[in-house]
Amino acid sequence: QVQLVESGGGLVQPGGSLRLSCAASGSIFSLSAMGWYRQVPGKQRELVATITGGGDTNYADSVKGRFTISRDNAKNTVYLQMNSLKPEDTAVYYCNRLYVGGVRSWGQGTQVTVSS
């Protein structure tokens, strides 16, 4: 029973940076493994980065070395720092728990557009 609100997207030139935030409310957030996902219209949603409750992180090969996922449990927030952005990073970015019992629901996400 967690509500997630993504923010921080926008228009940026190739090579630029953005910092996305995912504000969460609900119980046991500090122990929940979280992920950032992205989706291009008409294509499947892609898992980009994950972070466990203990702080272990993993990244898709396409963003490894450029993106950094982090969390601030005191603020109930998960972040995605995106550097060296490429046009192919353009997508709607979502955050969500990695493990969900029952039906998973998605928020509105935040649009990231990388274009010159």
Side-chain angles (χ1 to χ4, degrees):
Q1 194 168 326
V2 177
Q3 180 179 330
L4 303 169
V5 179
E6 301 94 342
S7 63
L11 175 64
V12 65
Q13 294 185 10
S17 298
L18 286 172
R19 184 177 179 85
L20 308 184
S21 297
C22 173
S25 61
S27 61
I28 63 171
F29 172 78
S30 64
L31 299 177
S32 298
M34 301 291 296
W36 280 99
Y37 304 74
R38 66 186 181 187
Q39 187 171 34
V40 177
K43 306 183 95 174
Q44 292 182 336
R45 184 177 279 109
E46 172 191 23
L47 181 61
V48 172
T50 65
I51 184 166
T52 68
D56 295 325
T57 60
N58 284 101
Y59 301 91
D61 288 340
S62 58
V63 307
K64 197 170 299 182
R66 301 187 298 117
F67 291 11
T68 303
I69 187 172
S70 61
R71 66 194 300 162
D72 186 340
N73 291 331
K75 294 183 176 180
N76 256 22
T77 302
V78 179
Y79 303 97
L80 186 67
Q81 178 67 46
M82 307 188 298
N83 299 325
S84 302
L85 282 163
K86 304 175 180 179
E88 50 262 46
D89 295 319
T90 296
V92 178
Y93 284 72
Y94 304 86
C95 64
N96 217 317
R97 297 163 68 181
L98 285 182
Y99 310 111
V100 175
V103 178
R104 183 188 296 277
S105 62
W106 299 92
Q108 291 184 320
T110 185
Q111 175 72 49
V112 171
T113 302
V114 185
S115 177
S116 59

